[in-house]
Amino acid sequence: MNTPLHVKCAKCEKGAVVRVTYARLNLCSEHYIEYFEKRVLKTIEKYGLFKNTKRVLVAVSGGKDSLTVLRVLSKYRDVLGVTLAGVHLDLGVGVYSERSREAALSTCSDHGVECRAVSLSDLLGYTLPELVRKTRRPPCSLCGLIKRYVFNVAALEWGFDVVVTGHHMDDILVFRVKEMLMGQRESEVAKLLPFTPGVTGFYAARARPLYEVYEWEIELYSKLTGLKYVEAQCPFKYRDIISSSVAEMLGKIDSEIPGFKITLARRLAKRTRWDVNAEKITPCQYCGMPSSSGVCALCKFTLKTHGKPMGLVVREKLKSTKPI
Ligand code: AMP
Ligand code: ZN
Ligand code: ZN
């Protein structure tokens, strides 16, 4: 992708390293970086991601997506008028987690962003592989539950208005189209929007600045800017047949109709309503965090694995590790 194309950049005399097909642009490295950052900033502006926000918490996994978000936000934090901090959750998945933690912390430090690493074994007394062995729940769903709880509580306890993640367009579209194929109701597919508003005391807002960028664009940006990200996938990650078929189908359409995915992502953002009804949220009887039935997902799960609800313990532990 970043080998010279033997054509000139559309903006200067240098050789282009990439053809951005959907925009019909050949760009050199420097102008590609500028182009990419502008697109992310446009997404932030268009969806009002930081409109009511001063303090932004970036969930930094150590992968290319979250390091890219971190880099762009740290570069433009003054323009955006926000204070940034990072949070990394060390899941204890062997060497993979060690490398991820190192990548997250060192990149944050290189970009002048204070980052707190919290470890699952500190919070719950077990690593992810240990928890997986204790339960029949699929690892990714378990990991997702824990991450949602930890990032949300971290933001609330540390006084951040919004949690930023590195979710990108390709993954979001696969998720959304898959959920449609599975016949989910609209409220259930409304999870991965560019912006999810917060609910005071219950939910920090969620922002996804890479909502309109392709995965290949992120990969190229992170390579051209020298980000030291972890390339390995989590050993628990697997791609099911429906997701990989959807990804293949969307890719095929997008190669025939350049920019198709962007159009689809924009339409989905426009047409999906996020209808969390604050009045319907019941505080968890054990930890006070949101639940639908009186016991939150984390307390429900830890009642099984620990024999007691762990929400309050996690909250207290996070409270004592506030970064800035
Ligand atoms: P994933 O669900 O693994 O594709 O990750 C989506 C996003 O969640 C990443 O881009 C990060 O922003 C965030 N994230 C995932 N895992 C972690 C982690 N262990 N620590 C901090 N943030 C994470
Ligand atoms: Zn150029
Ligand atoms: Zn709870």
Side-chain angles (χ1 to χ4, degrees), residues 58-67 69 87-91 96-97 100 104 118 143-144 147 151 163-168 171 206 210 234 237:
V58 187
V60 192
S61 65
K64 63 180 185 334
D65 311 328
S66 54
L67 294 192
V69 158
V87 58
H88 173 78
L89 178 63
D90 181 343
L91 296 155
Y96 167 76
S97 287
S100 302
V118 291
C143 180
K147 284 191 284 199
F151 300 153
V163 176
V164 164
T165 57
H167 289 104
H168 56 70
D171 273 354
R206 291 280 180 147
L210 303 182
C234 172
K237 191 158 185 161

Side-chain angles (χ1 to χ4, degrees), residues 115-224:
C115 181
R116 269 289 169 273
V118 291
S119 99
L120 189 56
S121 55
D122 273 354
L123 295 176
L124 285 180
Y126 298 106
T127 61
L128 185 66
E130 286 166 351
L131 282 177
V132 167
R133 262 178 258 130
K134 281 177 142 300
T135 162
R136 288 175 158 208
R137 220 180 151 123
C140 296
S141 112
L142 177 58
C143 180
L145 178 165
I146 294 168
K147 284 191 284 199
R148 270 192 299 280
Y149 190 90
V150 169
F151 300 153
N152 190 49
V153 169
L156 296 175
E157 296 290 357
W158 299 346
F160 288 85
D161 322 297
V162 62
V163 176
V164 164
T165 57
H167 289 104
H168 56 70
M169 185 173 74
D170 286 281
D171 273 354
I172 291 172
L173 289 182
V174 168
F175 176 84
R176 296 284 313 261
V177 174
K178 180 183 160 189
E179 297 284 279
M180 283 178 215
L181 287 178
M182 312 276 284
Q184 303 278 8
R185 280 182 289 119
E186 194 191 28
S187 62
E188 285 163 331
V189 297
K191 278 181 210 148
L192 292 176
L193 291 169
F195 183 73
T196 317
V199 178
T200 312
F202 285 123
Y203 288 113
R206 291 280 180 147
R208 303 175 180 95
L210 303 182
Y211 183 82
E212 289 192 6
V213 295
Y214 289 85
E215 185 170 15
W216 72 260
E217 293 182 293
I218 299 168
E219 196 170 342
L220 182 57
Y221 179 84
S222 45
K223 294 223 157 104
L224 294 178

Side-chain angles (χ1 to χ4, degrees), residues 9 11-14 27-28 31:
C9 168
K11 313 228 167 167
C12 74
E13 293 302 309
K14 286 194 211 136
L27 295 171
C28 71
H31 282 112

